Amino acid sequence: MSHWIIAPVVLPALMAAVMVIALRGNLALQRAASLAAILALNAIALALLKASPTPEAYFLGDWPAPFGIVLVLDRLSALMLALLAGLALPVALYAIGSGWDAKGAHFHPLLQFLLMGIGGAFLTGDAFNLFVFFEVLLIASYGLMIHGGGGARTRAGIQYIAFNLLGSSLFLFALALLYAVTGTLNMADLAVKLPQLPEGDTALLRVAAVLLILVFAIKGALVPLQFWLPGTYANAPGVVAAMFAVMTKIGAYATLRFGTLVFPPDLPATGPLLADLLYPAALATLAVGAIGTLGASTLPRLAAFAGIASMGTVFLALSAFTPASTSAALYYILHSTLATALLFLVADLVTRRRAHARLGPAPAIPAAGPIGALYFAAAIALVGLPPLSGFLGKLLVLDALRDRAALAWTALLLASFLMLVGQARAGSILFWKAEPAAPAPTREPLALAAAFALLAALAALTLFAGPVSDWLAATAQALHDPAAYIAATGLEAA
């Protein structure tokens, strides 16, 4: 299995190169190649998921850690790879069915490069290569963001670039501090060396930890660094915004990886520093997302603020840094990625039929029944109402935060109520208060099928919540006891 660990990075990289060099200008062949690669990626991700209970390392160039580049497959990285591949398939089908991939050059190569960057970020066991994969996925996302052109999209893309360049700069400063203090950037090696750090170096280490949290806060749209997300996601093509739903989870993934491996709460040098920073920021993020959903003027902006609220919920659970809260956060990551992506696809379906995105009077849309059902399902999933997985996810988060019930429970329940009001307002405008005259029918069966596939995934996550939760609980336990992860790299825990 070891050589398959690098496949999620190599496969999309090779396919993107083939499409740019050999299939340039042939959209039909690019579509076929892209779908074939994504199907293969799903098969590989499932195989890696099956093999993941025992951490396994892949040493590029056969150089041992910490001197060479190392990829590490464990339960968390395999889970995130499966989520990435599972989301990519309906997104690619929607892009083909709606014709979005034909509105600009190189959509499918850029999508493959994005998959390469995100997959590498999930697998890398080295902090510097996490930075490298961040840059790969960001370059691809820049191109996808402005796909199809337009002034508003270009302005939002510039804002997106500016914020992420800031994040990249902070990331380099943090890595420089870490290397200066420890002489390594291998994450397992950092976990071994940091407990032995001289007391005189702890101040620099705390600065590096804060800088890293700022970087991950930018990636995860955590308040006060969330300003880039509403404009970016609301102005991106709907299919691209749906794919971006997994990109914000990279911030949560990196926070979880560093918070359990490199800067665990029992590390004397940093202690509960990460938790102390994340908890109030998560509460503020939850509030901003809920209020933004309530006051959104367009459906894509509503979806963007719902995504911010979901990240607030994830970081709220992560901030406790216990196995129970980690397990709840992982379940909610799965749920919110699928639900947010579904809402962005619904927003695109509605916008394409109304010729504008504003939540105001407009003619009734064709295929209002299926699209209305999709919107209703996405709304109750994101709000956290039964019977879909959002209800179960929030129950898990509430249960994991029982010791913070006074504030965390109040914030989470109040935010859910505000989101319910905002989603109900938007739904009534879109589907109940439409004007009688309807535009010409728009038939996009493949696009609708892709959206319903995401809904089916949410339903499956609900039906199999028991075994999924058990698997995630084991994943959380492994994260909070990283000795096996460290041993897989050939190092020994302190």
Side-chain angles (χ1 to χ4, degrees), residues 70-472:
V70 60
L71 304 180
V72 183
L73 176 75
D74 68 341
R75 298 175 74 104
L76 178 60
S77 57
L79 174 72
M80 299 305 292
L81 279 175
L83 177 62
L84 172 66
L87 178 63
L89 184 57
V91 165
L93 290 172
Y94 186 94
I96 294 169
S98 63
W100 261 116
D101 59 340
K103 295 188 176 182
H106 307 309
F107 176 90
H108 290 287
L110 287 170
L111 177 61
Q112 294 297 319
F113 276 126
L114 182 69
L115 295 176
M116 170 198 168
I118 299 176
F122 290 150
L123 282 169
T124 185
D126 183 273
F128 182 77
N129 286 292
L130 180 62
F131 167 79
V132 172
F133 283 119
F134 272 6
E135 296 310 301
V136 171
L137 70 90
L138 288 173
I139 292 170
S141 66
Y142 298 154
L144 290 171
M145 169 64 205
I146 60 174
H147 179 77
R153 192 167 295 151
T154 301
R155 287 191 295 272
I158 292 173
Q159 182 187 33
Y160 175 64
I161 291 172
F163 264 90
N164 281 284
L165 285 177
L166 171 63
S168 298
S169 301
L170 292 176
F171 206 169
L172 283 177
F173 291 145
L175 295 179
L177 282 174
L178 274 178
Y179 191 79
V181 170
T182 65
T184 184
L185 290 176
N186 180 281
M187 289 189 283
D189 200 29
L190 286 169
V192 172
K193 289 184 175 179
L194 290 184
Q196 307 166 7
L197 198 67
E199 188 175 346
D201 291 333
T202 56
L204 288 175
L205 181 63
R206 291 172 69 87
V207 172
V210 171
L211 288 176
L212 284 173
I213 286 299
L214 288 175
V215 173
F216 303 151
I218 292 175
K219 308 301 181 186
L222 193 65
V223 169
L225 300 170
Q226 87 295 346
F227 296 105
W228 62 272
L229 191 144
T232 300
Y233 282 32
N235 287 290
V239 66
V240 174
M243 194 66 221
F244 282 5
V246 77
M247 279 180 48
T248 49
K249 305 308 184 294
I250 298 175
Y253 166 83
T255 300
L256 180 56
R257 180 67 79 191
F258 274 78
T260 56
L261 180 63
V262 181
F263 304 116
D266 59 355
L267 181 67
T270 54
L273 175 63
L274 270 64
D276 292 343
L277 292 173
L278 286 177
Y279 183 58
L283 290 172
T285 303
L286 190 58
V288 168
I291 295 171
T293 302
L294 186 64
S297 58
T298 68
L299 190 53
R301 284 187 70 83
L302 183 147
F305 278 108
I308 290 176
S310 72
M311 291 307 301
T313 305
V314 168
F315 278 109
L316 188 61
L318 289 180
S319 67
F321 283 107
T322 65
S325 67
T326 297
S327 177
L330 291 175
Y331 187 91
Y332 204 82
I333 284 173
L334 296 177
H335 153 77
S336 61
T337 301
L338 298 172
T340 305
L342 174 58
L343 189 56
F344 275 117
L345 293 188
V346 172
D348 187 68
L349 288 168
V350 171
T351 301
R352 290 160 63 83
R353 286 160 173 77
R354 299 182 95 206
H356 66 80
R358 296 186 303 276
L359 291 174
I365 63 173
I371 295 175
L374 286 169
Y375 175 80
F376 178 73
I380 65 172
L382 282 169
V383 170
L385 296 176
L388 290 178
S389 52
F391 177 69
L392 300 175
K394 288 193 175 180
L395 280 182
L396 290 172
V397 173
L398 290 172
D399 183 62
L401 298 176
R402 280 179 292 178
D403 59 333
R404 302 179 177 183
L407 185 56
W409 282 33
T410 301
L412 194 55
L413 294 174
L414 182 58
S416 298
F417 174 74
L418 293 178
M419 291 178 67
L420 174 62
V421 174
Q423 298 274 19
R425 177 185 70 90
S428 65
I429 292 172
L430 291 172
F431 301 105
W432 290 347
K433 297 181 179 180
E435 298 173 355
T442 302
R443 293 183 176 86
E444 297 170 337
L446 184 58
L448 277 172
F452 274 104
L454 285 175
L455 178 56
L458 283 171
L461 186 59
T462 308
L463 291 173
F464 297 100
V468 169
S469 296
D470 291 342
W471 198 91
L472 295 178

